[in-house]
Amino acid sequence: MTENKLRVLVLDDEPIVCKRLKPALEKLGFAVDTFTQSVEAMHQVQQSAYDIVITDLKMKEVDGMRFLEEVKKRRPQTEVIVITGFATMETAKQSFQKGVFDFIAKPFKLSEIQDVVTRAAAKIRGAGA
Amino acid sequence: MWQVLQNLWNRISRPKPDLLAFPEIFEHFQALLADDQRVMELIADLGEKSGGEYIFDRKYLIDTTEEIQTLLLRMVKGVNLITANRYPDLYQAIDRIFIPLGAELRGRLLLSKEMPLVIPLAEAPQDRPELIGGKASHLAVAIQNLNLPVPGGFIITTRSYRLFLEHNHLEERIHALLESWVAGEHDERQVSRQIQYSILAGVVPREVAGDIRRQAEKSGGDWAVRSSAYGEDGELSFAGLHESLLHVPARGVIKAYKQVLASLYSPEALVYRQKMGMLGEEAAMAVLCQEMIPSRASGVVHTLDVSGRESDCLVMFASWGLGRTVVEGTGPADRYVVERDFPHRIRSQEIARKEKLVRAMAGGGEEEVPVPGEDQSRETLSEATVEALGRWALILERYFKRPQEIECAIDQAGNGWVLQARSLQLPKPTAPLRQDICETCALYPILIQDVGVVAHAGVGAGVVAHVSADADMDRFPEEAVLVTKYTAPWLARIVPKAAAIVAERGSAAGHLATIAREFRVPTLVGVERAMEILAAGMKVTVDTKQRTIYAGRVKELIQYELVQSMAFEDAPEFRLLRRILARIAPLHLLDPQDQNFTPGGCQSVHDVIRFIHEKAVEELMDLPRFVKRFKGVKIFTLVSDIPLGLKILDLGGGIAPEAQGTRLLPEHIRSWPMKALWEGLSSPGVWSTEPVPVDFQGMMSSLSKTVAVTPGATTVSGFNLAVISENYLNLHLRLGYHFNLVDARMETEAPRNHIYFRFVGGVTDLTRRSRRAQLLEKILSQFHFKVDTKGDLVVAKVLHLPREDMEQRLQLLGRLIGFTRQLDIQLRRDDDVPDFVEAFFHQNSPLGEKPPEGGSYDGK
């Protein structure tokens, strides 16, 4: 059963986001890796395939938008969920155009992101079946 | 000629510059109400965020604080416009609150004068480990929130440390020496010796020394002087790297203080900090001074077996005499394996042969002496002591959400003491769990899932206990799961004992939710049918993070949470939020008659908006001004059998358009809250017109009473006013010698709704009036109000209920206003109070409003 787990990568430069999301998603049955450094996350997605990627849009080093482009380029079937503290319609639209699965504005509830990830997982499993 | 007369009239009738015309007053008053509402919503939001269900960042805190400040400034401007600039001091009040708030948000408060140099443990701020260090923070919680027996003491804060460095010009010297070590010019021993020498030779600044002496001389006994460095008991372990000095007499504390400071620069501490990459960061040391406990025996409790052999057990080690033997492991100690489940039975014990013990020497210092023969192979801890230590250890673990290591002492009288408590450092290999948490949890039956609102996030397990009445609270078992219909404010007393709370109704922004967060008790509200599904006596595990309740004790989940998950409460964002909330949310100004009810008395944002609201309404009630200002404004007079002399001012939508002239019949009222209140007040039998028999004392008191001394009185009597709109009611009602104020909002969205009720005064002596206050408290709390009484003042609030529940409560207030009108005269003895409560419920039961079983909704 463990091999069937969907793999989730979380990238947010605020450590608290990673620390809260990891156990919340693990308890839903996902295998979760978290990164606060975008360079490391970039390196990781180049090495390894993820089913779901959750990323912040505004970070210090790599722009979240560039990161999600890279993810989609390497593995188009990866579902990307964008979180950001700077919620505007413009960034939301922009990220949707890049094939983002959903968009969540900070502050958000843990149950909200759990719902979105569960929906993304259902889509992946549906497509794979 | 006509023109001349017209001009003359205009000049006479023009309002004086200090009085605004009605439409403007009206506009400002409405804006004030709207801003007041918005600020309350933002405060409630911040409170909810502190429960752990939300992920937020510092930016959210900054934005919210800024929005509150903007609203507040607008409100201060508004109230000053209405009152002809009577409260300019409110601007200072705002500065007083927001300047430190801003510094807090920028992380720059630490060195400010607001921070103490020395502070007693019992008063120390819990959310400032950077000020008092990790060790002292833990113990402050243990004393203040958890009520554990911790020896008293005080903390010499990091602010004192910085002042000490500054005073002795040590900062640069230390920096230069550390650089020379990193550059390889000197080894750590040389550098350490030089820094330590400088610290020991330094002079403790006079204000610090004075504070230390004052505290140290409070106790006749000796002191334990220990390090409490920031981060010391947190993720990193500096265990044993810093100095602890025992048996220090009061006069020696200052010297000991310097010795402990110097230990921050011991060779071992330097090497450790370099290894952890912390050398670049500024080290700061707080020092904790605690009263020494002359201990007969000492022990250490681990809430998890570090060796990994025993699962779901506590492990205790104990030996005779002072703690050194067992803490430092210098001698053999008894080992007890104890069940985590209450009453913490001993599962197994290994009694060591204890030949020596360490004890205090007369005149200072310690000595090692032989243990008397019969004690050598005797167990150190009795079953009762084991049970108490186990209970305390788990209380600490539940609060800190990490496995704990606790140092304890048993004094000569056999009483147990908690000396230290810290997170237990687990050996790394135990970190990754063998089994998969999702798969393991799936093996347990789920009772409730995806229902309810998270008031505090976390996992707790225990036996279900239903609480519906006071009597249930006394029976509430330790570490049980509290299941209740309403989140009644009076449940607060048992919150610290609960492993988790599940309520069918209530709000995450209410009073009980705030208390649950204070004690970090996982809490889920709005769980329909919880009382039915979770039967009393069942063992359950409540995971409010996943909004899931399992049957049975999911020990893997509990361990996962302790070891794998983070205690969000200790994250910097949450600490910051709690510190901000402490300057925003508490309400200190309860009583408008109190001498502190001034702009200068406002300590929090809540105080400021409370003050403004009171004063704005008071201004409207000021009759002479009122008459001038409201000339030409339509004020209705309510015509009814009940002789209230009530004038009604409609802000919009409160009165039916068909009302003609200035006289109004009750059926023309459209304002929801006013209508509900009137229904209660005009119910049959409520407005008793029979004269109340007055006894002699009551009569004398009533004769000597004058309006001027009546608390809560407006300046002119005989004038009752309701300001209403479709959803709003503000009613000032003087009946005889007492005074009612009702402020209520009733909308379709429950979170916007509130009722605020204030009742004060009376015709008789204070004792009788206080009896009436007690009576009101009893009745109102049965109807879910949060009630505060002070003498004859009653302040009751209820929040966030659906419209129909608000309606019911306003009807109740209407009836209470009628019922209590002359009641103080009749309340001759304390024993009369319950009879009248009974009479009220009896009299009012035909209306179908028996007190709902089991407590109350949230009021705050």
Side-chain angles (χ1 to χ4, degrees), chain B residues 465-473 476 482-486 490-491 494 531 854-855:
Chain B
H466 289 181
V467 177
S468 318
D470 269 10
D472 299 334
M473 292 212 286
F476 188 79
L482 165 59
V483 179
T484 178
K485 205 166 186 74
Y486 300 99
W490 51 257
L491 288 169
I494 50 169
M531 295 280 276

Side-chain angles (χ1 to χ4, degrees), chain B residues 291-303:
Chain B
E291 287 170 33
M292 283 296 297
I293 300 293
S295 44
R296 190 177 73 189
S298 306
V300 170
V301 183
H302 290 172
T303 62

Side-chain angles (χ1 to χ4, degrees), chain B residues 13-282:
Chain B
S13 64
R14 190 183 303 151
K16 285 183 190 151
D18 68 333
L19 288 181
L20 285 178
F22 171 73
E24 282 173 74
I25 297 259
F26 168 61
E27 216 172 280
H28 290 307
F29 187 69
Q30 277 204 317
L32 276 181
L33 290 182
D35 287 348
D36 186 287
Q37 182 75 17
R38 176 70 190 144
V39 175
M40 287 312 289
E41 280 170 17
L42 289 170
I43 295 177
D45 269 2
L46 284 171
E48 251 187 289
K49 297 286 184 297
S50 70
E53 165 70 347
Y54 285 85
I55 292 185
F56 60 88
D57 50 17
R58 193 174 284 258
K59 186 169 182 304
Y60 160 76
L61 299 178
I62 293 171
D63 290 351
T64 309
T65 312
E66 275 174 6
E67 188 179 349
I68 292 178
Q69 189 176 14
T70 309
L71 288 163
L72 232 55
L73 282 168
R74 203 159 75 189
M75 289 178 75
V76 170
K77 197 173 157 197
V79 76
N80 275 309
L81 281 167
I82 292 182
T83 62
N85 217 22
R86 199 163 328 140
Y87 305 105
D89 291 355
L90 279 172
Y91 287 105
Q92 284 158 34
I94 289 191
D95 279 351
R96 220 173 35 244
I97 294 162
F98 280 89
I99 289 173
L101 253 178
E104 195 84 87
L105 284 164
R106 290 191 304 275
R108 284 195 200 139
L109 205 61
L110 205 52
L111 295 177
S112 98
K113 289 222 164 70
E114 198 188 320
M115 295 294 127
L117 294 167
V118 174
I119 190 163
L121 248 182
E123 294 162 25
Q126 296 169 14
D127 286 321
R128 297 193 184 282
E130 71 287 2
L131 180 74
I132 64 172
K135 198 178 278 176
S137 291
H138 248 69
L139 290 178
V141 167
I143 288 187
Q144 296 171 22
N145 289 14
L146 309 178
N147 272 324
L148 297 180
V150 175
F154 59 93
I155 303 145
I156 311 168
T157 66
T158 51
R159 195 179 147 230
S160 288
Y161 170 77
R162 287 178 212 279
L163 215 60
F164 174 82
L165 292 192
E166 205 178 290
H167 189 78
N168 295 289
H169 311 288
L170 282 175
E171 268 167 285
E172 279 184 25
R173 181 170 164 74
I174 291 175
H175 190 70
L177 281 164
L178 289 179
E179 277 194 343
S180 74
W181 173 45
V182 176
E185 292 162 24
H186 296 98
D187 70 20
E188 68 265 11
R189 302 212 166 269
Q190 292 168 307
V191 167
S192 164
R193 200 165 47 237
Q194 291 194 45
I195 297 178
Q196 291 196 321
Y197 178 81
S198 310
I199 290 176
L200 294 172
V203 174
V204 177
R206 192 185 302 164
E207 60 263 52
V208 178
D211 280 3
I212 294 176
R213 260 185 228 112
R214 261 190 298 283
Q215 292 292 338
E217 281 160 11
K218 278 186 188 167
S219 153
D222 285 351
W223 294 91
V225 182
R226 308 173 191 271
S227 68
S228 181
Y230 181 30
E232 191 178 53
D233 284 343
E235 304 273 303
L236 301 166
S237 170
F238 294 80
L241 285 178
H242 300 141
E243 190 110 42
S244 278
L245 298 165
L246 303 177
H247 310 292
V248 179
R251 60 175 193 287
V253 171
I254 290 178
K255 188 177 164 210
Y257 171 57
K258 287 197 289 182
Q259 278 173 272
V260 176
L261 288 190
S263 72
L264 191 56
Y265 296 95
S266 72
E268 297 78 17
L270 287 179
V271 171
Y272 182 80
R273 282 212 298 280
Q274 191 189 34
K275 208 172 82 189
M276 303 310 291
M278 292 170 61
L279 207 58
E281 288 168 38
E282 208 177 348

Side-chain angles (χ1 to χ4, degrees), chain B residues 507-561:
Chain B
S507 119
H511 181 69
L512 197 79
T514 307
I515 304 281
R517 288 194 280 269
E518 192 180 321
F519 293 98
R520 301 187 176 182
V521 179
T523 300
L524 201 56
V525 299
V527 183
E528 279 174 35
R529 297 175 51 234
M531 295 280 276
E532 187 191 320
I533 301 169
L534 307 175
M538 276 172 95
K539 263 194 185 177
V540 297
T541 302
V542 181
D543 181 353
T544 69
K545 290 178 175 175
Q546 309 292 113
R547 294 193 302 161
T548 304
I549 301 175
Y550 299 92
R553 193 180 144 81
V554 188
K555 60 176 198 283
E556 299 85 352
L557 176 61
I558 294 162
Q559 176 153 0
Y560 174 89
E561 286 293 326

Side-chain angles (χ1 to χ4, degrees), chain A residues 1-3 5 14-30 56 83-86 105-115, chain B residues 48-49 52-60 235 436-439 441 450 453-454 457 459 543 545-547 557 560-561 564-566 568 571-574:
Chain A
M1 193 169 164
T2 310
E3 332 39 280
K5 276 176 184 284
E14 302 244 11
I16 184 150
V17 176
C18 295
K19 284 188 187 169
R20 298 296 316 276
L21 283 187
K22 189 176 161 71
L25 296 175
E26 276 181 358
K27 284 203 270 178
L28 289 179
F30 297 98
D56 194 354
I83 46 179
T84 179
F86 299 81
K106 270 190 223 168
F108 56 86
K109 281 188 183 187
L110 269 182
S111 55
E112 276 177 60
I113 200 151
Q114 286 173 332
D115 284 350
Chain B
E48 251 187 289
K49 297 286 184 297
E53 165 70 347
Y54 285 85
I55 292 185
F56 60 88
D57 50 17
R58 193 174 284 258
K59 186 169 182 304
Y60 160 76
E235 304 273 303
D436 177 86
I437 188 61
C438 179
E439 289 167 19
C441 288
D450 292 335
V453 177
V454 183
V459 174
D543 181 353
K545 290 178 175 175
Q546 309 292 113
R547 294 193 302 161
L557 176 61
Y560 174 89
E561 286 293 326
Q564 297 284 300
S565 200
M566 74 174 297
F568 70 85
E573 290 83 355
F574 281 88

Side-chain angles (χ1 to χ4, degrees), chain A residues 21 54-57 80-87 92 95-96 100-117 119, chain B residues 55:
Chain A
L21 283 187
I54 302 173
T55 177
D56 194 354
L57 266 196
V80 179
I81 297 161
V82 164
I83 46 179
T84 179
F86 299 81
S95 56
F96 271 123
V100 158
F101 180 77
D102 209 342
F103 179 87
I104 290 184
K106 270 190 223 168
F108 56 86
K109 281 188 183 187
L110 269 182
S111 55
E112 276 177 60
I113 200 151
Q114 286 173 332
D115 284 350
V116 174
V117 175
R119 278 195 288 114
Chain B
I55 292 185

